[in-house]
Amino acid sequence: MANHEINKLLVVVVLYNLRLEESSSLISLNQNCLLTDVLIYDNSLDNLNQNSKNFFQYLNIKYIHDPSNPGVSKAYNSAVEYAFQNNKSFILLLDQDTFLPKNALEIYLNAAIKNQEIKLFAPCLKFNDKIYSPCNYYMHKGFHKNKFKMGVNSLKDVNFLNSGLLLNIHAFKQTGGYDENIRLYFSDFEFINRFKKYYKSYFLIDLVCLHELASTDKTDLNKALNRFVIYCTDAKMAAKSKLLWFQYCITLGLRSLKLSFHFMNFNFFKIFYSKFI
């Protein structure tokens, strides 16, 4: 790959309470063995990474520590502004715990350069052998999809998780970026729904990335309660119409019921009522 091609790319990795050298995303990026510009947006309360910025041989790291923890939307928007100021063409969005194959960056950029009319590129994102992104998308809710056609596809009735998306910088800014009032949950769906108003297609790359979903951990009650507070708060911000509010109300009501019986704790209902209703 020519140097000027990798120079068109900025990767943003959002961290929370994790050291750089423990991030699956950063470890796998470094294993691509391409000198890559990476903006790390660290939402941790404490700066755990003052002495870790030179840990990775192939990553040219720009590090931002934001203890206010504004969420992924602010991090992505900040990274795109930095990319725009530094004449980048593409932004690759990553959570801290997405593992990319060794040739991933080359595959991403080759697809983007050969398909310049397409502004969004996505891999298959898997967790526990199940594909979570892309997903079928109906009634503002995502559903697992098992079969995909690689290459150019319609954006109709499909959506994505944030991590792993490669976006054209101009298209990102044209769409208006991420809604910073939606800190985490639903930020991906809300952004892609606005993206669809400008662009009708995406490119599915022949690439599988392994992703860890923190929300699937159902062993720690306090963490589950704290996540559900954010889940309900973000859903309320994403419900920008009466129809959306009603659809999210059903989704959250069912989720609170499921979590309440799983943990035998009915504080989930209280959170649902106080943070969303």
Side-chain angles (χ1 to χ4, degrees):
M1 181 186 299
N3 287 335
H4 74 277
E5 293 177 352
I6 193 66
N7 287 340
K8 292 179 180 179
L9 173 68
L10 178 71
V11 183
V12 54
V13 179
V14 184
L15 289 186
Y16 183 70
N17 288 344
L18 192 73
R19 294 186 181 277
L20 270 64
E21 58 266 32
E22 297 172 341
S23 166
S24 299
S25 297
L26 292 171
I27 292 169
S28 59
L29 279 173
N30 193 60
Q31 290 176 353
N32 273 252
C33 298
L34 294 169
L35 187 59
T36 308
D37 291 330
V38 179
L39 187 147
I40 295 173
Y41 203 100
D42 190 349
N43 281 323
S44 307
L45 179 61
D46 299 317
N47 188 342
L48 304 174
N49 295 298
Q50 287 181 323
N51 301 315
S52 301
K53 298 169 191 175
N54 297 319
F55 186 84
F56 298 102
Q57 179 183 358
Y58 292 103
L59 305 185
N60 179 28
I61 291 175
K62 165 74 173 177
Y63 178 79
I64 297 174
H65 178 229
D66 189 347
S68 69
N69 188 17
V72 299
S73 295
K74 174 68 179 296
Y76 295 153
N77 288 344
S78 299
V80 166
E81 284 304 313
Y82 180 81
F84 181 74
Q85 293 168 10
N86 287 274
N87 300 313
K88 303 293 186 183
S89 300
F90 307 105
I91 186 90
L92 175 60
L93 312 182
L94 289 176
D95 293 345
Q96 64 189 20
D97 45 19
T98 300
F99 196 90
L100 290 76
K102 285 187 177 181
N103 58 344
L105 293 181
E106 186 169 1
I107 293 173
Y108 271 115
L109 286 173
N110 284 341
I113 290 167
K114 291 178 181 178
N115 300 274
Q116 295 186 23
E117 74 284 3
I118 304 297
K119 308 302 180 183
L120 187 156
F121 299 81
C124 287
L125 210 61
K126 295 184 80 173
F127 173 68
N128 284 349
D129 293 324
K130 184 178 289 186
I131 296 173
Y132 278 79
S133 180
C135 63
N136 285 330
Y137 186 71
Y138 306 109
M139 297 294 290
H140 297 280
K141 183 173 175 59
F143 299 89
H144 293 297
K145 186 174 182 178
N146 294 319
K147 293 184 178 180
F148 299 93
K149 178 176 75 73
M150 301 299 163
V152 179
N153 290 275
S154 171
L155 277 169
K156 184 180 179 182
D157 299 330
V158 68
N159 222 310
F160 311 88
L161 300 184
N162 288 319
S163 194
L165 295 183
L166 179 76
L167 291 149
N168 175 276
I169 295 292
H170 172 75
F172 185 105
K173 292 176 70 68
Q174 183 183 28
T175 303
Y178 277 71
D179 185 341
E180 294 182 13
N181 293 312
I182 307 172
R183 295 171 54 200
L184 179 60
Y185 297 106
F186 307 102
S187 61
D188 33 27
F189 288 0
E190 196 276 338
F191 172 79
I192 295 298
N193 288 340
R194 283 187 287 110
F195 189 92
K196 291 176 182 180
K197 296 178 181 179
Y198 296 89
Y199 303 98
K200 303 304 179 185
S201 301
Y202 77 99
F203 191 98
L204 184 61
I205 302 171
D206 190 8
L207 187 69
V208 175
C209 300
L210 304 181
H211 183 67
E212 187 73 24
L213 287 174
S215 60
T216 60
D217 180 7
K218 295 182 179 179
T219 59
D220 189 314
L221 173 61
N222 289 330
K223 286 184 179 179
L225 288 168
N226 290 334
R227 278 198 301 268
F228 195 61
V229 169
I230 300 172
Y231 191 82
C232 290
T233 303
D234 284 351
K236 189 167 186 177
M237 298 306 302
K240 297 181 178 180
S241 69
K242 290 182 179 179
L243 176 61
L244 264 177
W245 184 92
F246 180 73
Q247 290 170 337
Y248 282 139
C249 189
I250 294 173
T251 298
L252 268 64
L254 292 173
R255 192 181 184 98
S256 64
L257 181 66
K258 182 178 179 180
L259 290 169
S260 294
F261 281 103
H262 176 82
F263 286 102
M264 294 308 296
N265 185 298
F266 294 96
N267 283 326
F268 293 98
F269 280 115
K270 295 178 181 178
I271 293 170
F272 169 51
Y273 182 80
S274 64
K275 297 298 181 181
F276 185 81
I277 300 295

